[in-house]
Amino acid sequence: MAAATVRSMPDAEDVRRIALSLPDTTEKISWSMPTFRVAGKMFATLPEEETSLAVRCPKEERDELVLAEPGKFWIADHEAQFAWVRARLAALEDEDELRDILADSWRQAAPTRLLEAYPELGAAPGD
């Protein structure tokens, strides 16, 4: 009975399903990995063995995330100069956290017309 209540960690298929549920999102293979784009602008990737995801994140916030939760977030060397952060799927609390991370990255890449058309996905609190 207890096994039915055990939640599995988010995986690559959850990333794909949630990312593609966001408006005007497409999946494209680039650099031999799945990438997700809104209106043609990349906002998430599934690098390596699809055990993590890379998302857009302002550098100041990214550095704070990595310091606060180094077991969950890190910066890949080749992405250090860009506003991207990696998240380990196994370290995410649940699918809601994954959805929040993907939606936040989507907002950063989405054109104004989509942000206005989908206010529930619009500016993050504090923006």
Side-chain angles (χ1 to χ4, degrees):
M1 201 52 109
T5 61
V6 173
R7 184 202 60 76
S8 61
M9 68 177 186
D11 63 16
E13 286 310 309
D14 295 318
V15 171
R16 180 170 283 110
R17 178 176 44 78
I18 293 168
L20 292 174
S21 75
L22 295 167
D24 205 10
T25 295
T26 57
E27 181 177 349
K28 178 181 177 184
I29 299 296
S30 294
W31 308 290
S32 302
M33 69 178 134
T35 66
F36 300 91
R37 299 160 189 262
V38 55
K41 195 170 179 184
M42 191 164 42
F43 71 91
T45 69
L46 277 168
E48 282 90 40
E49 305 298 314
E50 298 187 357
T51 58
S52 67
L53 75 154
V55 292
R56 291 176 173 268
C57 185
K59 288 184 180 181
E60 318 74 58
E61 291 178 31
R62 174 188 77 176
D63 296 344
E64 289 174 19
L65 279 174
V66 171
L67 284 172
E69 297 186 81
K72 187 180 293 186
F73 298 103
W74 87 99
I75 302 164
D77 291 341
H78 68 281
E79 293 169 346
Q81 71 272 32
F82 302 108
W84 285 77
V85 69
R86 300 279 181 102
R88 290 173 181 84
L89 293 176
L92 298 182
E93 291 172 28
D94 54 25
E95 199 173 288
D96 289 340
E97 184 178 23
L98 174 60
R99 184 175 289 105
D100 289 346
I101 290 169
L102 286 167
D104 187 54
S105 187
W106 180 91
R107 278 192 295 275
Q108 293 174 59
T112 303
R113 67 176 171 80
L114 285 175
L115 295 176
E116 289 173 351
Y118 298 92
E120 72 279 9
L121 293 170
D127 282 358

